[in-house]
């Protein structure tokens, strides 16, 4: 336990060299909130969250307002008390409260973040090409790089989705597993039509077929699906996990650090999910390497499914001075690895930055706009 001496908040806009297309929108940039917490002994922790439309009911503005309000209140508080205060808001402000909690946990040196031995966390990679030839080349290139699990976004149009998945299956031929992600875009009828025609070859799972709030629709699809179903956007709390465990055909749940409430709850939650009979999948495809590292570190202690913490690989550059290496399709965490944020890179992408310290509790912007 320690005392919080200073907090910084940053809003960044990180342009994507290649737009990232999911069923309901196209990301042209990732716009994270980055939180830095320093304790009285000088230990610093960082965390980050992208409050993405469609993934959460929170808005970016609400999350920023929450972080501003709490950054002022948490100064001089001990870290345990600060985390307990924030945790009371996880239900309504899961991303905003989680990012604050995670930064405190990193400053505390949470044991789930520490590696005494080196670890490899295998990563999933998205297939982005749309046509048959392009997909064939992309599959060969990624297999050669050592990737063995591919994400395929569906939920655009049943016929077109089936055609594209078929091309991918022909290209893969048993050499990788496919995770198909509908991102809530199908109706029950569309999902059933898709599944009726789908050959299950090399398909590990189908993710979040229907609207996240419509548990009945997702349950109806899962009940007679020929491949295992994973729920993603529907899962926020361990109560949601329990509910998913009761549905026939649902075999996987996807969690993210900013859904479960920070490092400790994530690690404990993953172990709990494993005991519930469901297989947990972890990772955020819309994130920087600060939270992707956090998720990989927690995963290295708790689960063995291929991780989805690949958001940072879509970005123009790392936010870290000592970036994690990816070798043979896996994040490689050396023994003792601890990331150091590159404040020069951070500042170059900052839209707004605020510093909170005891002498300046009523903080104002310290920088606006890219340097
Ligand atoms: Mg998903």
């Amino acid at each position: 336990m320690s005392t919080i001496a200073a907090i910084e908040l940053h809003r960044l806009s990180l342009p994507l060299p290649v737009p990232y297309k999911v069923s309901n929108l196209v990301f042209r940039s990732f716009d994270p909130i980055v939180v830095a917490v320093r304790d009285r002994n000088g230990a610093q922790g960082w965390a980050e969250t992208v409050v993405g439309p469609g993934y959460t009911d929170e808005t970016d503005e609400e999350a920023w307002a929450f972080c501003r309000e709490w950054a002022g209140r948490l100064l001089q508080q001990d870290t345990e008390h600060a985390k307990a205060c924030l945790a009371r808001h996880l239900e309504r402000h899961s991303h905003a409260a989680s990012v604050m909690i995670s930064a405190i946990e990193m400053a505390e040196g949470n044991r789930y973040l520490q590696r005494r031995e080196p670890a490899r966390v295998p990563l999933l990679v998205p297939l982005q090409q749309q046509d048959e030839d392009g997909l064939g080349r992309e599959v060969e290139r990624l297999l050669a790089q050592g990737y063995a699990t591919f994400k395929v976004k569906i939920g655009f149009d049943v016929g077109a989705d089936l055609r594209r998945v078929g091309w991918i299956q022909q290209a893969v031929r048993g050499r990788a597993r496919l995770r198909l992600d509908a991102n809530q875009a199908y109706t029950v009828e569309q999902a059933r039509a898709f599944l009726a025609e789908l050959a299950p070859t090399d398909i590990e799972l189908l993710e979040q077929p229907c609207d996240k709030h419509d548990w009945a629709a997702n349950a109806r699809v899962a009940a007679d699906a020929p491949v295992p179903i994973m729920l993603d956007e529907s899962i926020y709390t361990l109560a949601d996990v329990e509910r998913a465990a009761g549905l026939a055909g649902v075999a996987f749940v996807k969690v993210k650090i900013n859904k479960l409430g920070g490092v400790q709850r994530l690690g404990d939650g993953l172990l709990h999910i494993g005991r519930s009979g469901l297989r947990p999948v972890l990772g955020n495809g819309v994130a920087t390497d600060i939270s992707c590292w956090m998720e990989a570190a927690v995963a290295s202690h708790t689960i063995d499914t291929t991780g989805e913490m690949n958001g940072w690989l879509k970005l123009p550059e790392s936010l870290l001075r000592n970036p994690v290496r990816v070798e043979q399709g896996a994040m490689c965490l050396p023994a003792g690895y601890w990331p150091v944020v590159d404040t020069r890179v951070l500042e170059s992408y900052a839209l707004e930055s605020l510093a909170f310290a005891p002498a300046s509790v009523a903080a104002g912007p310290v920088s606006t706009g890219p340097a």
Side-chain angles (χ1 to χ4, degrees):
M1 191 166 76
S2 183
T3 303
I4 295 174
I7 298 177
E8 282 175 30
L9 305 177
H10 305 272
R11 290 173 106 169
L12 311 186
S13 186
L14 301 156
L16 300 181
V18 179
Y20 179 50
K21 190 178 173 196
V22 300
S23 66
N24 47 354
L25 73 161
V26 177
F27 287 95
R28 298 188 188 283
S29 63
F30 289 171
D31 301 336
I33 295 171
V34 177
V35 178
V37 170
R38 189 160 43 78
D39 76 9
R40 196 172 46 188
N41 304 317
Q44 197 162 29
W46 295 82
E48 155 267 318
T49 186
V50 175
V51 185
Y55 281 86
T56 165
D57 293 331
E58 301 166 83
T59 68
D60 198 36
E61 288 304 321
E62 285 166 0
W64 182 246
F66 180 96
C67 290
R68 283 182 70 143
E69 179 189 340
W70 280 93
R73 284 197 208 174
L74 296 178
L75 293 174
Q76 319 266 40
Q77 303 291 324
D78 76 63
T79 54
E80 285 300 333
H81 176 70
K83 289 185 294 180
C85 290
L86 291 164
R88 287 198 281 273
H89 299 274
L90 280 169
E91 196 165 329
R92 277 207 51 213
H93 301 278
S94 86
H95 286 67
S98 292
V99 71
M100 302 284 289
I101 291 170
S102 299
I104 295 168
E105 290 174 315
M106 182 177 167
E108 291 176 319
N110 186 286
R111 68 192 167 89
Y112 281 121
L113 299 178
Q114 309 221 17
R115 285 291 335 164
R116 293 219 180 109
E117 313 285 333
R120 291 179 85 255
V121 177
L123 280 187
L124 157 151
V125 67
L127 294 178
Q128 306 261 39
Q129 295 295 313
Q130 297 299 318
D131 63 281
E132 185 171 11
D133 289 347
L135 282 163
R137 286 191 297 272
E138 188 173 35
V139 163
E140 294 306 324
R141 178 171 57 81
L142 294 170
L143 287 171
Q145 290 174 15
Y147 290 101
T149 306
F150 298 146
K151 171 147 287 190
V152 181
K153 292 291 187 184
I154 58 169
F156 304 99
D157 170 88
V158 170
D161 291 342
L162 282 165
R163 196 160 53 243
R164 185 162 175 265
V165 170
W167 290 334
I168 292 166
Q169 287 171 310
Q170 284 167 29
V172 165
R173 299 188 308 278
R175 296 176 294 166
R177 284 166 305 191
L178 306 178
R179 290 182 184 164
L180 311 182
D181 189 358
N183 285 109
Q184 323 178 54
Y186 282 152
T187 62
V188 171
E189 292 68 31
Q190 287 170 328
R192 283 183 159 166
F194 177 84
L195 286 165
E197 298 294 323
L198 179 73
T201 316
D202 296 331
I203 304 222
E204 183 182 25
L205 56 86
L206 168 66
E207 181 172 346
Q208 195 71 44
C210 302
D211 184 86
K212 64 183 174 184
H213 298 298
D214 196 342
W215 282 76
N218 286 297
R220 281 166 63 201
V221 172
D224 49 10
V227 296
I229 298 295
M230 174 158 82
L231 293 182
D232 176 4
E233 289 92 332
S234 292
I235 303 297
Y236 263 85
T237 64
L238 292 179
D240 298 329
V241 171
E242 301 297 333
R243 196 170 174 189
L247 299 183
V250 174
F252 294 84
V253 285
K254 166 88 159 283
V255 296
K256 296 170 186 167
I257 191 168
N258 294 316
K259 297 204 294 195
L260 281 192
V263 176
Q264 188 69 38
R265 281 183 182 76
L266 176 65
D268 295 349
L270 288 167
L271 294 173
H272 174 83
I273 293 166
R275 290 190 294 266
S276 77
L278 290 167
R279 297 200 70 197
V281 169
L282 171 63
N284 193 344
V286 183
T288 76
D289 43 0
I290 299 174
S291 56
C292 290
W293 156 71
M294 278 188 171
E295 289 183 332
V298 177
S300 75
H301 292 288
T302 53
I303 58 174
D304 60 3
T305 45
T306 298
E308 304 205 355
M309 57 292 283
N310 59 14
W312 62 296
L313 296 173
K314 304 177 181 98
L315 292 171
E317 61 184 314
S318 170
L319 293 185
L320 305 179
R321 289 220 302 258
N322 54 344
V324 176
R325 282 176 304 112
V326 176
E327 283 175 11
Q328 285 301 300
M331 287 175 80
C332 300
L333 303 177
Y337 177 74
W338 202 248
V340 179
V341 171
D342 189 328
T343 52
R344 181 193 55 81
V345 174
L346 193 82
E347 283 163 16
S348 72
Y349 292 105
L351 301 175
E352 185 176 2
S353 297
L354 300 171
F356 297 79
S360 61
V361 171
V366 293
S367 76
T368 51

